[in-house]
Amino acid sequence: MKLSTKGRYGVAAMYDLALHYGQGPISLKSVAQRQGISEHYLEQLMGTLRKAGYVKSIRGAQGGYSLTKEPGQITVGNIICIMEGPIAPVDCLLSTDAGHDYCQRAGICVTRGVWAKVRDSINQVLDSITLADLCQEEKFQGDE
């Protein structure tokens, strides 16, 4: 299982906005430069995050993007779910009716429980890390 650039860059962009939280709107150009992301691609990602209600855009010369919530209220799991959709190492975990849409064996599959535990563990980790946590790690690394 691999995250796409949408998920990874979405987290990086949100982290950048969290580092500058409370400083007003941050230009996409500056985020793109600091994070090494194409400005055009970043525009697409921000559109997704804006529609989900996690960032707001301000137009004009002093415009840019800012978080709609405090960094401590946004988890990496929130961002990954918005950008990638639900995490599931196997398709049968995506269905709400025991996976019958994806696999005829879902109801009797011995390994389905294993993959559900993997999914739950990944979600638990991603949901336990906030943007504020990432910003704190940056401060600690900067002190070394």
Side-chain angles (χ1 to χ4, degrees):
M1 186 174 83
K2 224 172 148 178
L3 292 177
S4 74
T5 56
K6 281 173 54 174
R8 295 193 325 267
Y9 290 175
V11 171
M14 292 290 282
Y15 160 74
D16 196 288
L17 293 180
L19 279 176
H20 299 93
Y21 184 72
Q23 298 175 14
I26 307 299
S27 75
L28 272 189
K29 185 174 187 169
S30 64
V31 174
Q33 288 174 340
R34 283 190 296 266
Q35 298 303 319
I37 303 169
S38 148
E39 193 174 343
H40 178 70
Y41 191 40
L42 194 53
E43 277 182 46
Q44 295 173 27
L45 301 179
M46 286 300 184
T48 300
L49 291 161
R50 187 177 45 75
K51 286 176 190 162
Y54 281 82
V55 298
K56 63 182 175 184
S57 62
I58 293 91
R59 294 182 183 265
Q62 301 299 314
Y65 285 84
S66 59
L67 300 177
T68 58
K69 302 176 184 182
E70 293 181 15
Q73 296 178 317
I74 302 171
T75 68
V76 172
N78 296 143
I79 301 164
I80 294 295
C81 198
I82 290 163
M83 304 309 291
E84 302 275 356
I87 289 183
V90 291
D91 285 344
C92 66
L93 294 176
L94 293 173
S95 180
T96 55
D97 61 358
H100 296 296
D101 293 344
Y102 295 101
C103 178
Q104 297 172 10
R105 297 181 36 82
I108 59 169
C109 181
V110 175
T111 60
R112 188 170 191 271
V114 172
W115 308 130
K117 287 179 184 175
V118 169
R119 175 205 55 207
D120 294 346
S121 294
I122 292 170
N123 283 330
Q124 184 178 19
V125 169
L126 295 177
D127 290 340
S128 72
I129 303 168
T130 67
L131 291 176
D133 295 332
L134 292 180
C135 291
Q136 277 300 117
E137 284 182 29
E138 165 72 15
K139 288 180 185 171
F140 288 131
Q141 289 176 357
D143 292 342
E144 293 176 5

